[in-house]
């Protein structure tokens, strides 16, 4: 993997060493065993993994890309600009069940946004052993925060120096984490300065290479010849690439003149990352010394022993392991396990390896080794298989694995056994030649993650978005269309990736139309077409959106009831294995149930919205000396109606300003809000004192016993004198903007929320509202952000009110409605708003005689 960008949006020579250096420092600083950096990509709303240190990249491919609106820790850290601390698996499952379902192992993790200037570039993340509680990882978080800040400033400086937008659109760079102990075997180091073309080697390297006195290694060519003459061209190419800022992601396996393995690792110093011109190259040559006495002793063991580094590279194997794995030892060493032994890396076993890498606990499992296989394309397994018992013992730098023959166990699950066929026609002997290249299907955890994600999606649009984010990346699809059934016709609910207007002619087609999207629903059978030509042959005359590609049409059927159909499009022709067809069919059932639930939600939501609109005031009571403005924004997560309300009520010769918030969302919260609003209005119309209004409403809510509580702020204002009497019940404090522009948060004493304590007391506080001043009442949805203290949100609202300008009638003033719109503008553009918002503003007009 080179990790190079596909769209030319970055400069590898300057960006790669910077990212890898920061990641290495962060792993050491936070006591982690793996880490990485996510960066923005060229696709809006998509993050890509730029660097992965300490884990094999292919094994974690499902996490290479993430949408910023996903409920994942990386996405939250980027979108919200907050640090996410997950000390253990329990906290991860509580806060991020989708993430935990994909990696259900015992580990902790930290996520810190990378910000430079006013730009959020990405997220620095570290995986570490589980901690007993969050306080244990706080020092590590602080050290990571400093490194993330340093990285953000460096990226910002790159942009200021004329670099294009910092983005990542390629595969991640997979690098080795810092070693916790010196590597085994003999090791020598060197430095190459491209400016002078001089190589400086230490004495240990000369001893390792057996350089005779008077023989020089001070040039790249001389060094390459001494390390591995047969591989000198590969070494020189790697040196030049590293000097250009593109070091090889894995150590290069080369062979000494006697055929023994040597590993060559190259890198550039971090402080050279942003300097112009070729970088100084540093390297080490490692001789694992596989002919040592210890290795000879290991060859006498009855079980096979092999070792992997944290990137999945085989760094040791004894003779028994080589025999059981079916590869010569010289071919295994220095190679990724998945390339040389693909049947051990099939998707059914990948979770075992992930568990060992992440939980750092021993893992034991059984595998089946194919008896025969061929190298000729297409590669295939032949015959049955022998069972092997594998144990993995993870260490900080090396995973030690044992492999032994196992007694025959019960018949394995079909997906674990290679296809049974007769002996190969060309007589290939058992375990001779290259293992079959297995292309794993979409990760098996996808149905679990999709199911969890669908439980959080409540509207048809949210369900469709989840399908697009989870299903398409899993199978490599590029196009999606979801149709829903209504009155025996199919209507488009969601589309992505199709040419503009292509699907328009199919809108509202009846169930008698001969179209694959219709027939998959009426027959209940999924339809798979491995090429567009195959689709055109099956349905002559049907318009096609592309000349190349493949398509899958899935019926959406829930509990025997037709819901709609789902179309997946792929840009290239491809086959669909039995496993993939089974998984896709099962996922279609999950989608159908989610869509059916969404349709029921839409009905309930329409009822709740209607109820809420009926309960909110159509107009506010007016007074010649007082102007009031209210705003309400429903939440956009889950049921988008809640219990927030505001009101202005005539109270004797004054006005009552009211704002409240009932816990929860949905029909019950809206109904409870209506009952409380009616009670407060009744008390206000009777001109009862604020404390009696609060106490009476509190008793009413306790008597109703809806299982909900509510906060409220009640102000009785005298329009002529400006005297206001305030009572609070667990509600955020009002904010007062004085005529001169100064603002204050009114820390008014209050009582507990309504509906909890029948003996609660609500003290009354007096304040003065001068002409031209603005009084702001609001609910917590306007000032709360996940992971941020509410006091910071209140302060931000106070500052916004100060900048919003004076009401109309004053020089340069803004209307009170304009002020309200300005205060809620940011919230209106939040696509994923977890809570509803209510805002009530009031101001006193100057006396008419003062204007003459």
């Amino acid at each position: 993997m080179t990790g190079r960008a596909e769209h030319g949006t970055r400069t590898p020579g300057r960006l790669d060493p910077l990212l890898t250096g920061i990641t290495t420092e962060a792993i050491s600083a936070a006591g982690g065993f793996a880490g990485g950096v996510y960066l923005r990509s060229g696709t809006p709303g998509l993050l890509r993994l730029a660097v992965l240190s300490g884990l094999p990249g292919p094994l974690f491919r499902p996490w290479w890309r993430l949408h910023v609106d996903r409920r994942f820790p990386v996405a939250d850290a980027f979108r919200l600009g907050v640090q996410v601390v997950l000390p253990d698996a329990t906290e991860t499952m509580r806060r991020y069940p989708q993430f935990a379902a994909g990696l259900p192992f015992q580990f902790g993790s930290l996520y810190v946004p990378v910000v430079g200037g006013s730009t959020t570039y990405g997220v620095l993340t570290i995986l570490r052993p589980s901690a007993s509680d969050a306080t244990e990882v706080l020092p590590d978080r602080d050290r990571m925060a400093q490194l993330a800040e340093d990285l953000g400033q460096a990226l910002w400086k790159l942009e200021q120096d004329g670099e294009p937008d910092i983005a990542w659109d390629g595969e991640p760079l997979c690098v080795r984490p810092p070693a916790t102990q010196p590597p085994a075997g003999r090791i020598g180091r060197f430095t190459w300065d491209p400016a002078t073309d001089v190589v400086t080697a230490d004495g240990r390297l000369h001893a390792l290479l057996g350089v005779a006195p008077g023989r020089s290694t001070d040039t790249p060519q001389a060094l390459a010849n001494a390390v591995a003459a047969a591989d000198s061209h590969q070494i020189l190419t790697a040196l030049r690439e590293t000097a250009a800022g593109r070091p090889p992601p894995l150590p290069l396996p080369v062979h000494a003149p006697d055929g023994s393995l040597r590993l060559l690792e190259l890198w550039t110093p971090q402080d050279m990352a942003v300097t112009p011109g070729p970088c100084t190259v540093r390297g080490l040559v490692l001789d694992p010394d596989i002919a040592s006495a210890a290795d000879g002793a290991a060859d006498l063991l009855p079980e096979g022993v092999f070792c992997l580094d944290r990137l999945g590279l085989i760094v040791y194997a004894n003779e028994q392991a080589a025999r059981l794995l079916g590869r010569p030892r010289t071919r295994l060493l220095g190679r990724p396990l998945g390339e040389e032994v693909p049947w051990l890396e099939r998707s059914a076993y990948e979770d075992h390896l992930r568990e060992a890498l992440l939980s750092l606990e021993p893992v034991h499992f059984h595998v089946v080794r194919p008896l025969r296989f061929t190298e000729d394309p297409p590669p295939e397994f032949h015959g049955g298989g022998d069972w092997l018992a594998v144990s993995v013992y993870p260490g900080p730098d090396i995973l030690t694995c044992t492999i032994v023959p196992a007694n025959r166990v019960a018949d394995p699950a079909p997906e674990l056994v290679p296809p049974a066929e007769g002996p190969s026609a060309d007589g290939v002997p058992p375990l001779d030649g290259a293992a079959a290249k297995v292309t794993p299907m979409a990760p098996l955890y996808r149905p679990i993650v999709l199911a969890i994600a669908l439980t959080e999606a409540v509207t048809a649009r949210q369900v469709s978005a989840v399908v697009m984010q989870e299903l398409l990346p899993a199978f490599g699809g590029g196009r999606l269309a979801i149709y829903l059934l209504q009155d025996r016709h199919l209507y488009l609910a969601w589309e992505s990736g199709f040419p503009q207007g292509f699907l328009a002619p199919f809108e509202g087609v009846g169930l008698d139309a001969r179209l694959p999207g219709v027939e998959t629903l009426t027959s209940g059978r999924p339809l798979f077409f491995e090429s567009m030509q195959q689709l055109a042959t099956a349905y002559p005359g049907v318009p096609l959106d592309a000349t190349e590609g493949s398509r899958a049409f899935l019926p959406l059927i829930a509990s025997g009831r037709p819901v709609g159909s789902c179309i997946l499009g792929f840009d290239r022709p491809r086959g669909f294995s039995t496993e993939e067809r089974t998984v896709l069919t099962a996922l279609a059932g999950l989608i159908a149930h989610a869509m059916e639930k969404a349709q029921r939600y839409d009905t309930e939501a329409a009822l709740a919205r209607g109820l809420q609109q009926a309960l909110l005031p159509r107009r506010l009571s007016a007074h010649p000396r007082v102007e009031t403005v209210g705003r309400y924004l429903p939440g956009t997560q889950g049921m988008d109606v809640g219990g927030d309300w505001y009101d202005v009520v005539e109270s004797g010769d004054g006005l009552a300003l009211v704002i409240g918030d009932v816990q929860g969302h949905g029909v019950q919260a809206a109904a409870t809000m209506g009952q409380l609003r009616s009670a407060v209005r009744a008390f206000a119309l009777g001109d009862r004192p604020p404390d009696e209004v609060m106490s009476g409403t509190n008793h009413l809510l306790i008597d109703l016993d809806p299982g909900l509580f509510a906060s409220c702020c009640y102000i009785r204002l005298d329009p002529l004198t400006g005297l206001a009497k305030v009572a609070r019940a667990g509600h955020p404090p009002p904010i007062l903007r004085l005529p001169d522009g100064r603002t204050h948060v009114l820390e008014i004493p209050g009582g507990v929320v309504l509906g909890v304590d029948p003996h609660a007391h609500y003290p009354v506080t007096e304040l003065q509202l001068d002409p031209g001043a603005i009084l702001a009442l609001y609910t917590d949805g306007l000032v709360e952000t996940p992971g941020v203290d509410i006091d910071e949100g209140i302060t931000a609202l106070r500052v916004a009110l100060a900048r919003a300008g004076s009401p109309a009638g004053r020089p340069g003033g803004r209307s009170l409605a304009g002020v309200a719109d300005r205060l809620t503008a940011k919230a209106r553009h939040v696509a994923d708003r977890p809570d509803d918002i209510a805002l009530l503003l009031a101001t006193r007009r100057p006396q008419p005689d003062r204007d003459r």
Side-chain angles (χ1 to χ4, degrees):
M1 300 175 197
T2 64
R4 299 179 183 177
E6 299 166 351
H7 303 105
T9 57
R10 66 184 184 89
T11 305
R14 306 178 74 184
L15 191 56
D16 295 2
L18 177 63
L19 297 176
T20 56
I22 287 290
T23 302
T24 297
E25 286 191 42
I27 292 175
S28 297
F33 53 78
V37 177
Y38 282 85
L39 290 180
R40 304 173 304 175
S41 72
T43 303
L46 185 68
L47 300 175
R48 281 186 179 269
L49 184 60
V51 171
L52 177 63
S53 177
L55 296 172
L59 207 58
F60 292 83
R61 184 181 293 270
W63 296 272
W64 283 8
R65 44 183 282 168
L66 289 172
H67 287 265
V68 297
D69 56 354
R70 292 276 299 279
R71 294 292 299 276
F72 268 52
V74 170
D76 277 1
F78 181 87
R79 186 180 68 254
L80 303 176
V82 299
Q83 299 175 8
V84 177
V85 179
L86 303 174
D88 54 26
T90 301
E91 182 69 5
T92 303
M93 176 59 77
R94 185 183 71 82
R95 295 178 57 185
Y96 298 98
Q98 293 181 46
F99 179 53
L103 296 171
F105 312 122
Q106 293 295 327
F107 68 95
S109 52
L110 304 173
Y111 308 85
V112 180
V114 175
V115 182
S118 59
T119 302
T120 302
Y121 293 101
V123 176
L124 176 63
T125 177
I126 294 298
L127 307 184
R128 64 186 312 282
S130 296
S132 57
D133 56 58
T135 59
E136 183 179 329
V137 301
L138 292 182
D140 300 336
R141 184 196 65 180
D142 294 340
R143 288 190 287 267
M144 272 187 63
Q146 183 59 55
L147 290 171
E149 181 179 345
D150 294 344
L151 177 58
Q153 291 303 314
L155 296 177
W156 179 81
K157 186 177 184 302
L158 282 178
E159 284 194 326
Q160 299 306 305
D161 290 345
E163 294 292 335
D165 289 342
I166 301 297
W168 192 280
D169 287 291
E171 295 184 353
L173 293 171
C174 297
V175 297
R176 178 172 282 98
T180 60
Q181 56 188 6
R186 296 182 295 162
I187 187 171
R189 301 178 185 273
F190 66 89
T191 301
W192 172 48
D193 183 357
T196 62
D197 203 33
V198 172
V199 174
T200 304
D202 64 11
R204 286 178 296 178
L205 181 60
H206 285 155
L208 185 155
L209 299 179
V211 176
R215 183 179 168 197
S216 173
T217 58
D218 59 0
T219 67
Q221 185 65 61
L223 174 71
N225 290 338
V227 173
D231 299 318
S232 61
H233 177 71
Q234 179 185 8
I235 295 174
L236 292 173
T237 300
L239 287 170
R240 288 191 294 268
E241 287 287 296
T242 304
R246 298 183 292 271
L250 297 174
L252 296 177
V254 295
H255 292 86
D258 62 359
S260 61
L261 173 73
R262 284 174 176 165
L263 297 178
L264 175 65
E265 188 161 4
L266 303 173
W267 71 93
T268 58
Q270 183 186 344
D271 55 6
M272 304 290 292
V274 294
T275 58
C279 300
T280 298
V281 177
R282 294 179 181 172
L284 62 83
V285 178
L286 172 66
D287 184 349
D289 197 15
I290 62 174
S292 65
D295 183 63
D299 284 338
L300 301 177
L301 295 174
E303 63 265 5
V305 178
F306 64 97
C307 298
L308 309 174
D309 68 5
R310 294 198 63 84
L311 298 187
L313 202 71
I314 304 173
V315 296
Y316 173 81
N318 69 357
E319 286 296 341
Q320 177 71 342
R323 188 184 71 81
L324 292 174
L325 295 175
R327 288 290 179 270
R329 184 159 62 176
T330 55
R331 180 167 177 172
L332 289 173
L333 295 176
R335 302 289 297 171
L337 179 66
E339 290 186 9
E340 287 303 315
V341 195
W343 49 267
L344 190 62
E345 282 280 334
R346 298 180 73 181
S347 59
Y349 314 123
E350 289 180 347
D351 268 352
H352 295 299
L353 300 180
R354 276 192 283 260
E355 181 178 4
L357 287 162
L358 296 180
S359 68
L360 305 182
E361 295 292 335
V363 175
H364 311 279
F365 57 96
H366 285 79
V367 298
V368 64
R369 179 187 61 179
L371 291 179
R372 297 174 181 270
F373 43 83
T374 66
E375 292 187 7
D376 298 331
E380 295 178 343
F381 289 119
H382 296 283
D386 291 331
W387 282 95
L388 302 173
V390 180
S391 296
V392 183
Y393 301 90
D397 303 318
I398 297 294
L399 284 76
T400 301
C401 309
T402 63
I403 181 169
V404 296
N407 294 329
R408 187 75 182 181
V409 297
D411 289 338
E415 66 270 22
L416 303 183
V417 182
E421 299 180 9
S424 59
D426 55 4
V428 176
L431 300 177
D432 182 23
K437 178 65 177 176
V438 178
T439 302
M441 69 176 203
L444 296 181
Y445 84 92
R446 282 290 176 180
I448 302 174
V449 173
L450 182 62
I452 295 175
L454 288 175
T455 63
E456 299 179 356
V458 292
T459 67
R461 181 177 182 84
Q462 290 171 342
V463 171
S464 301
V466 167
V467 174
M468 183 185 71
Q469 295 169 7
E470 291 291 350
L471 195 60
L472 287 187
F475 292 86
R479 306 185 186 196
L480 169 71
I482 294 180
Y483 284 85
L484 296 181
L485 181 65
Q486 182 179 351
D487 299 329
R488 296 188 59 79
H489 290 77
L490 288 173
Y491 296 91
L492 185 65
W494 181 279
E495 68 167 304
S496 176
F498 285 91
Q500 185 175 4
F502 172 77
L503 297 176
F506 304 104
E507 180 71 4
V509 297
L511 295 185
D512 56 348
R514 191 174 186 277
L515 296 169
V518 173
E519 293 191 352
T520 189
L521 179 61
T522 56
S523 67
R525 294 185 300 104
L527 303 175
F528 298 93
F529 300 96
E530 299 183 353
S531 67
M532 300 304 287
Q533 292 75 15
Q534 192 180 83
L535 174 59
T537 301
Y539 292 88
V542 171
L544 302 178
D545 57 298
T547 57
E548 294 291 332
S550 53
R551 296 291 181 267
F553 296 84
L554 307 175
L556 302 182
I557 299 175
S559 302
R561 295 185 297 274
V563 176
S565 58
C566 175
I567 305 171
L568 298 179
F570 304 87
D571 294 333
R572 295 183 177 87
R574 57 159 293 170
F576 296 92
S577 67
T578 301
E579 293 89 348
E580 285 179 310
R581 293 176 186 235
T582 301
V583 171
L584 282 172
T585 303
L587 294 179
L590 293 176
I591 298 168
H593 281 281
M595 280 296 183
E596 187 181 46
K597 181 187 71 175
Q599 291 174 325
R600 292 197 302 268
Y601 162 83
D602 288 337
T603 301
E604 182 182 355
L607 172 62
R609 282 192 295 268
L611 174 61
Q612 186 181 51
Q613 291 300 319
L615 294 175
L616 286 173
R618 293 181 179 274
R619 65 178 183 84
L620 301 178
S621 296
H623 189 282
R625 292 293 308 280
V626 178
E627 180 183 1
T628 58
V629 170
R631 293 289 184 268
Y632 175 80
L633 302 179
T636 56
Q637 283 185 2
M639 178 65 70
D640 58 352
V641 293
D644 289 19
W645 91 94
Y646 62 86
D647 208 348
V648 179
V649 187
E650 293 181 8
S651 182
D653 56 358
L655 288 179
L657 310 176
V658 188
I659 196 160
D661 182 1
V662 177
Q663 168 207 13
H665 297 82
V667 174
Q668 185 179 12
T672 302
M673 176 268 284
Q675 292 171 311
L676 293 185
R677 175 173 176 261
S678 298
V680 173
R681 286 186 66 87
F683 288 127
L685 290 171
D687 200 13
R688 303 280 289 276
D691 56 337
E692 292 186 18
V693 174
M694 289 290 95
S695 296
T697 308
N698 180 46
H699 284 102
L700 173 66
L701 184 56
I702 292 174
D703 291 341
L704 291 173
D705 192 21
L708 303 175
F709 59 82
S711 67
C712 186
C713 183
Y714 181 94
I715 300 179
R716 204 281 190 186
L717 174 65
D718 186 334
L720 299 180
T721 65
L723 179 65
K725 296 181 179 181
V726 187
R728 277 202 311 143
H731 201 81
I735 299 177
L736 178 64
R737 184 186 190 277
L738 300 176
D740 60 7
R742 291 178 298 149
T743 55
H744 302 284
V745 177
L746 303 177
E747 298 295 347
I748 298 170
V752 298
V753 292
L754 305 174
V756 175
D757 180 7
H759 304 292
H761 175 64
Y762 300 96
V764 176
T765 302
E766 294 186 354
L767 62 90
Q768 184 66 35
L769 183 63
D770 294 329
I774 300 176
L775 185 63
L777 307 179
Y778 53 93
T779 56
D780 55 10
L782 187 59
V783 293
E784 276 192 328
T785 300
V788 179
D789 190 90
I790 190 173
D791 289 339
E792 295 183 24
I794 294 175
T795 299
L797 179 62
R798 180 184 63 78
V799 172
L801 181 60
R803 296 174 177 172
S806 304
R810 296 183 64 86
R814 181 180 284 107
S815 69
L816 195 63
V819 174
D821 290 337
R822 189 179 181 90
L823 296 181
T824 56
K826 182 178 180 180
R828 291 179 185 277
H829 292 89
V830 175
D832 197 17
R833 193 168 51 247
D835 200 2
D836 45 349
I837 292 171
L839 173 69
L840 179 62
L841 301 181
T843 185
R844 287 179 65 223
R845 297 187 177 96
Q847 293 185 16
D849 57 349
R850 293 185 180 179
D851 296 333
R852 293 192 181 102

